[in-house]
Amino acid sequence: MTQGGGNRSWWRKASCRTDALQAARADWKSDMERFKADRRTARETGVPVENPGPPPTGFSLLPWLLMGMGAFSNVFQAGTPQPWLGALGLLAFNSLYIYVVFRAFVKEKREARSTRVALVLMGVVTCALALGYGGDWLYFFPLLGLATGAVTRGPWLGRTGLCLTALAVAVSAVQDGWDAVNIGYATFLSTMVTAAILSLSEAVRELRAAREELARRAVEKERLRFSRDLHDLLGHTLSVIVVKSEAARRLARRDMDAALAQITDIESVGRQALTEIREAVTGYREGSLSTELDRARSALEAASIEPVVRHSGPPLTAHTETLLSWVVREAVTNAVRHSGAARCEIAVEGAVERVRLRVVDDGRGVVGAVGVVSGAGAVGSAGTGLKGLAERLAAAGGRLEAGPGPRGGFVVVAELPVEVLEREVAAVG
């Protein structure tokens, strides 16, 4: 019974890892398609692309495994000593390589001890195969260098690369003599170039995220400043109204015409203040998406649902943030009340022309919600809240889709055209 439970647990973990790998691949393909669409739009409009494309993942390093095709063919050739050992070694190396490179793009996993142990095991397997077979099997050293460069960062990179190169030269010299220099050069080059490219890519993305965060903070600061200006405006206007009201009250008993004149002034001041406030408040008193995301995170945590929130892209206008805030609120409310989920992911991604919000949970979904499509399509069977949101987004030129996810749970996707921030500044300036 215990052994059966252990087998089920192992199978469950393997299934979860497979699902996570498929989800990562689907996200990568979606990001790549969006990046290509942005590039086509940039070529047509002449506006440079702000989106640098999807971040690199382990999939970008998998094609390098083709360097081991020569060793793979040797396993089936006649005269290869103990080919079954070579096949086991090949399987072990490829498995460790895939494990390491997919963990290399997540900082916490990259710095974990399990990743370092897997990298050391890769080195042991590589040395054993090189000493046992030589020839095409020596090309596993550049692959080991590639995985090492993907994992290693900081001051240890140079020393690690030199030590790995020396190891590759020493082991290869036993089999190929002076040809070991080529193996050592390829190992050093793959280690350093991989580390340099990935480090540069991470730095560029971190700088871009910092720039977007600074832009969002600048917008929030401007809104705070405007709220203070609005307070000053209302304070002055209300003071004038109070003074004239007191004057009208005093004059009402002895001079009704003068009192009516004061009341007329109060009406004029009030109408003028109302006009000024409407002009000034447009685009500033709308809901904040950042605040709504914080509220959503708090609500999910209170319901024992793990929140995963990602927010990227340029600053949005207040109207766009308000619409997306309503979508976040409705989707999170449905997840808390009906889904029974353990995890909910909220992603806001801004592109050149459109901003996309995606809310995904892993629960049992909303019963009766077949799908909602706003815009050109018709609104299908769904709750009242989702229908109302679909109509709001359709009026703004966007669309809303909601329904069961391909791997279970419930998915809500909202897209809106990106309004240029300068329009909002010009409207209140």
Side-chain angles (χ1 to χ4, degrees), residues 39-284:
R39 290 189 61 182
R40 287 194 297 268
T41 304
R43 285 196 297 267
E44 294 172 358
T45 60
V47 179
V49 180
E50 290 290 335
N51 183 11
T57 64
F59 291 105
S60 59
L61 299 181
L62 289 184
W64 292 101
L65 284 175
L66 295 175
M67 293 178 62
M69 289 300 297
F72 180 77
S73 63
N74 288 341
V75 173
F76 300 97
Q77 290 178 357
T80 302
Q82 297 179 334
W84 61 274
L85 281 178
L88 289 177
L90 190 62
L91 177 62
F93 181 89
N94 289 340
S95 301
L96 290 171
Y97 178 87
I98 294 173
Y99 177 81
V100 169
V101 298
F102 272 97
R103 294 174 66 88
F105 294 92
V106 181
K107 185 177 181 180
E108 293 78 11
K109 295 181 179 180
R110 181 173 67 235
E111 297 176 352
R113 179 174 297 180
S114 57
T115 305
R116 309 285 177 170
V117 171
L119 196 60
V120 172
L121 291 177
M122 277 186 65
V124 174
V125 173
T126 302
C127 292
L129 293 176
L131 290 173
Y133 294 95
D136 292 332
W137 300 79
L138 297 176
Y139 289 105
F140 285 130
F141 275 111
L143 286 175
L144 176 61
L146 192 148
T148 302
V151 171
T152 308
R153 298 286 192 277
W156 287 95
L157 175 62
R159 283 171 280 185
T160 303
L162 291 175
C163 292
L164 182 59
T165 302
L167 177 63
V169 171
V171 174
S172 302
V174 177
Q175 292 287 347
D176 286 1
W178 286 104
D179 289 340
V181 176
N182 296 329
I183 300 297
Y185 175 75
T187 302
F188 180 79
L189 195 64
S190 63
T191 303
M192 304 307 292
V193 170
T194 302
I197 292 176
L198 295 183
S199 298
L200 181 61
S201 175
E202 289 182 358
V204 169
R205 293 181 182 280
E206 289 176 358
L207 289 174
R208 182 171 180 267
R211 185 184 64 180
E212 293 173 354
E213 181 64 24
L214 289 174
R216 279 194 291 269
R217 290 185 180 181
V219 173
E220 294 292 339
K221 185 177 180 180
E222 175 63 18
R223 289 177 179 172
L224 180 61
R225 183 200 63 80
F226 181 79
S227 66
R228 292 194 295 265
D229 295 344
L230 185 61
H231 173 269
D232 296 339
L233 173 65
L234 286 176
H236 171 73
T237 303
L238 292 177
S239 298
V240 173
I241 291 176
V242 169
V243 170
K244 287 186 173 292
S245 298
E246 292 177 349
R249 179 173 55 82
R250 289 193 303 267
L251 294 172
R253 295 179 181 179
R254 60 178 184 272
D255 191 348
M256 184 58 66
D257 292 337
L260 290 176
Q262 294 293 332
I263 293 174
T264 302
D265 289 343
I266 293 173
E267 181 183 1
S268 176
V269 170
R271 290 182 181 277
Q272 181 63 29
L274 183 60
T275 301
E276 292 177 354
I277 291 173
R278 283 175 176 172
E279 292 177 352
V281 166
T282 302
Y284 277 88

Side-chain angles (χ1 to χ4, degrees), residues 279-310:
E279 292 177 352
V281 166
T282 302
Y284 277 88
R285 300 291 289 182
E286 306 289 346
S288 171
L289 180 59
S290 299
T291 303
E292 193 61 43
L293 291 175
D294 292 338
R295 293 175 180 172
R297 184 186 289 107
S298 177
L300 291 171
E301 290 176 346
S304 300
I305 301 176
E306 178 189 358
V308 179
V309 180
R310 296 196 301 269

